[in-house]
Amino acid sequence: MLGLLWTILVGFVVGVIAKLLHPGKENMGFIMTVLLGVAGSLAAGYLGQLIGWYKAGEGAGFIASILMAILLLWLFQKFRRRT
């Protein structure tokens, strides 16, 4: 249970920092911000394993998580504009 709360807290912090660093206005609530941060962390972990930065089971670095969350936010806005 504590691991889930820690994941939500770190996801929220990563999501908020990504939203602050990304230009433009995002209309995202608390849950979407947490999901953005968690998805950024997961994507950074998988990419880091492919490159060889992380081993299986290791969490991604904080900066890599933020950068990946910014990339996901950019992709989200690109697809949202088309619809």
Side-chain angles (χ1 to χ4, degrees):
M1 185 63 154
L2 188 60
L4 179 64
L5 291 175
W6 187 249
T7 301
I8 291 171
L9 179 66
V10 171
F12 178 68
V13 171
V14 168
V16 166
I17 292 173
K19 284 173 55 176
L20 287 174
L21 293 176
H22 187 267
K25 184 174 187 217
E26 300 85 18
N27 293 328
M28 298 176 120
F30 174 76
I31 293 174
M32 287 298 291
T33 302
V34 170
L35 291 176
L36 172 69
V38 171
S41 295
L42 287 174
Y46 286 127
L47 182 64
Q49 286 179 14
L50 287 175
I51 295 173
W53 291 347
Y54 309 117
K55 296 177 184 165
E58 285 184 341
F62 191 70
I63 294 174
S65 298
I66 293 171
L67 292 175
M68 191 58 72
I70 290 171
L71 177 66
L72 291 174
L73 187 57
W74 179 77
L75 288 172
F76 175 75
Q77 285 185 342
K78 287 290 183 186
F79 285 115
R80 196 170 102 189
R81 287 184 191 160
R82 289 184 183 176
T83 58

